Amino acid sequence: MKFTAVEQATTRDHFAQNPWAPGERRLAFHLTLQAAPEIYEAAIRVQDALEGMEHVHPVPRAWLHLTMSGLGSEHEVDRVDLADVADRVFDQWHRFAGERIRFDQLFVPDEGVMFTARPDDWLLELADVQRRAIDGVLGAREWQPLWPHASLAYTSGPAPIADIRSRLEPLAATIPEVIETAPVLTLMSLSRQTGEYTWQVLRDEGPRA
């Protein structure tokens, strides 16, 4: 698999760059990976290679996901509106259910380690379905372009990127060039109270392991 890393000396604190209120929960559509044993196997190998590095925190297998579209803080979204958004998105899932995520890069940004995926047309179309549903029910907002990725570790401070590179670049050469996985569309209530992203599934659809 291709390996790349940002050109800077150290990582920074992911959580400080993305502050949440104490006890806050957020709603989101993400693609979860419980039907993706190949990703789990590769993720564990990456995380094992990072073991013992200060400020580097692996994402437990149960919480691996491909980030897509946030709805906002849970307390700000009416339950009826949430159900409406969910119906609009899940009613279109049949268009995408047979697709595969194609992860093709092991990347070290400045806030962690991740697999990035090809921005295939179906992923962009699914993001558009989600975001049109959210805008239509909850009000229009500004969206960043979809950057499909699954975080394998987050950083909480300055970890030397050269050290991360030295551990992961040789490993990347032993990982398949592309890992294809079946996605599960998940509407979730996200929490960060434990110091990592965890969630309660509100609704999901897709293959099971």
Side-chain angles (χ1 to χ4, degrees):
M1 182 176 282
K2 179 182 178 181
F3 174 87
T4 58
V6 293
E7 296 294 332
Q8 61 188 62
T10 62
T11 61
R12 58 180 180 168
D13 186 342
H14 166 82
F15 301 101
Q17 301 301 316
N18 302 275
W20 288 30
E24 182 179 6
R25 300 189 71 91
R26 296 188 184 181
L27 299 168
F29 289 105
H30 290 332
L31 297 179
T32 52
L33 303 172
Q34 56 264 49
E38 298 87 358
I39 278 291
Y40 287 154
E41 179 183 347
I44 289 170
R45 293 179 64 199
V46 170
Q47 292 168 347
D48 285 349
L50 296 170
E51 186 174 359
M53 287 200 71
E54 188 178 9
H55 302 304
V56 179
H57 308 279
V59 177
R61 166 177 170 163
W63 309 122
L64 293 172
H65 63 282
L66 186 144
T67 301
M68 292 209 73
S69 305
L71 289 75
S73 294
E74 185 169 15
H75 73 276
E76 297 176 346
V77 179
D78 178 82
R79 294 289 105 178
V80 173
D81 289 342
L82 178 60
D84 189 0
V85 173
D87 286 343
R88 295 183 187 207
V89 174
F90 281 93
D91 285 352
Q92 295 297 314
W93 177 242
H94 64 91
R95 296 169 47 196
F96 310 102
E99 300 288 357
R100 295 292 182 269
I101 305 169
R102 295 174 175 86
F103 292 100
D104 64 356
Q105 179 179 229
L106 178 57
F107 177 52
V108 181
D110 61 359
E111 297 179 11
V113 177
M114 60 181 61
F115 286 134
T116 62
R118 295 174 181 172
D120 291 333
D121 288 346
W122 75 269
L123 270 172
L124 302 180
E125 292 169 11
L126 177 58
D128 185 60
V129 166
Q130 295 170 357
R131 294 169 182 190
R132 282 190 288 107
I134 293 167
D135 287 351
V137 176
L138 303 179
R141 60 196 66 190
E142 292 187 13
W143 294 99
Q144 296 296 319
L146 180 69
W147 180 40
H149 66 276
S151 292
L152 309 178
Y154 295 106
T155 54
S156 60
I161 289 179
D163 289 355
I164 297 175
R165 176 187 285 274
S166 69
R167 292 176 183 228
L168 296 187
E169 192 166 18
L171 176 62
T174 71
I175 296 174
E177 185 175 344
V178 178
I179 300 177
E180 296 192 6
T181 68
V184 177
L185 175 62
T186 304
L187 174 62
M188 59 180 66
S189 170
L190 279 161
S191 171
R192 232 168 57 174
Q193 287 182 275
T194 62
E196 60 195 12
Y197 294 101
T198 62
W199 60 77
Q200 174 189 358
V201 174
L202 303 179
R203 183 172 174 180
D204 65 0
E205 191 168 337
R208 298 295 183 264

